[in-house]
Structure formats: C-alpha cells, structure tokens
Amino acid sequence: MNTKYEKIACVASESPAAQEALAALSKRYDCVPVKEADVIVCLGGDGFLLSTMHDYHHTRLPIYGMNRGTVGFLLNSYTENGLIARLNLAHGVVLNPLRMVATDIDGHKLSALAFNEVALHRYSQQSAHIRVSINGQQRLENLVCDGIMVATPAGSTAYNLSARGPIIPVGSNVLALTPVSPFRPRRWNGALLPHSVTVEFDIIDPFKRPVGASADSFEVRDVSHVSIQEDHSECATILFDPDHCLEERIFSEQFVN
C-alpha cells in the first residue's frame, strides 16, 4: 500500500474519554507535533472538531475525527486498530467557511470565519427587527424575530436544525437562511440560497433593540450591519472512512422514528 499519511498529530478535547484515547494512540503510534505532521487526528465531539478546524485550517492539513463525544455527526468511529490504514483509505471533503464582517453601533468592523453558521440574536426582551438583503437586493423589509442565521451544509445539523432549518447534504453548494422564532412576516420559514450569494443584515433601531452576531464561537455585541459570504480563500479538509456514509446519516436525521 502506498502511504500518503505517515506523520500523525493527535489533538483531544478535555473529556476523560478523549484524553484516554489520546494516551492510547500516543503509546501505540509515533505521534508528532502539528507543525511536523501531514494529518491531524481529532479526538472528541462535533464541537471539538469545529474548534480544531478553526485552530488548524491555516495549516491546510486534513483532519480525521474519531468520536469521543456524544453525537459525532462529522466524526468516524473510534478504534485504536489500523489507524494508518484507515487514514490512507479515507476520502476527504473540503469545507469552505463563511466570512462574517460585522459593523457595531460605534462603526467598528470585525471579521471572523464560520464553518457552521453565522447567527444573529436579540439581546433584550424586545424582538429584533432586521432588514434582509441578498446580493444587494432587499428581500425582507423588516423581519421581526429572535434571530436569524446563515448555515453551511456542515452546520445544518447543529443550531440550524434546532431552529427547524433544513438539513443540507455536504457538497450541495447551498446555504440555509433560517429565522429563529420569527413573528413577522407570518409563516416565513427561511430560504435555501446558492453558496455564491452575499447576505446582508441591517439592524433596525439597534440602540433600542440590540442584536449580537456570532460566527461559530466568535461573538460581536451591538451590531448594526452584518455581511456574510463564502470565503474560497479558506478551507478545511475533513477525512471520512469509506464506510462512514455521511449521506445515510443525513437521511436518518430527516426520518427520525
């Protein structure tokens, strides 16, 4: 077998299960620091995989996740056996993040990446009032809601799903625009958008009705304007076992008994 992955770096969450797995793999395989590796093995749950993508996407190293958490939607099953062979049989999925540019009420602009979603959420007892534009064209004059998000396919099974947004197959080149507890317009449940669009949110009366914005775990308070588009200059590659059928998991999530 021609080996393309030989130098393994292992990273793990703080959970006991992940730390035990890290100790076992480090004892069995010659693990190296990330700067010397050609692949990263991530031990934890979906949240830790997301943080690993943020921490190391700049290295361009592929990430092979093994589930030492709970759901593990984007993770392979855990076993100590045959890791090198599994790595070299795995297939990769390239994920491009969203780029959020948020302007706060003082005019400061902050930028951050989101592999899961960019979400807006109200900070007061009053509903948020948000103007929604797509590619420069106003689509909703005033969305009255608790919040709204733009979710990637990888993030569609996370917060987006909790807000009753659609599950999107990875690689579909589609984004989900999903409101959180929408009040007006009545019966507006969101939209599916081409991944090439630019989405803009303008906060109506941001002083009276304060709104925050988050790109995954990065948060900006008191925003007045948020612009979102896919960033093709950035990416993360996630490795999956051949028998890890992501499509089947997506089907299963949509047909829960």
Side-chain angles (χ1 to χ4, degrees), residues 132-139 177 193-194 197-201:
V132 180
S133 301
I134 312 293
N135 288 339
Q137 181 176 352
Q138 179 179 293
R139 293 295 181 177
L177 178 64
L193 307 174
V197 301
T198 298
V199 181
E200 293 179 274
F201 299 128

Side-chain angles (χ1 to χ4, degrees), residues 149-209:
M149 76 187 78
V150 178
T152 68
S156 67
T157 58
Y159 184 24
N160 173 73
L161 181 59
S162 299
R164 299 183 179 275
I167 296 175
I168 306 172
V170 174
S172 62
N173 294 328
V174 171
L175 302 173
L177 178 64
T178 303
V180 180
S181 301
F183 179 66
R184 294 189 186 280
R186 296 287 192 182
R187 294 180 293 278
W188 187 71
N189 295 317
L192 291 174
L193 307 174
H195 71 123
S196 57
V197 301
T198 298
V199 181
E200 293 179 274
F201 299 128
D202 288 288
I203 311 307
I204 300 170
D205 201 351
F207 292 93
K208 181 181 179 182
R209 302 174 182 271

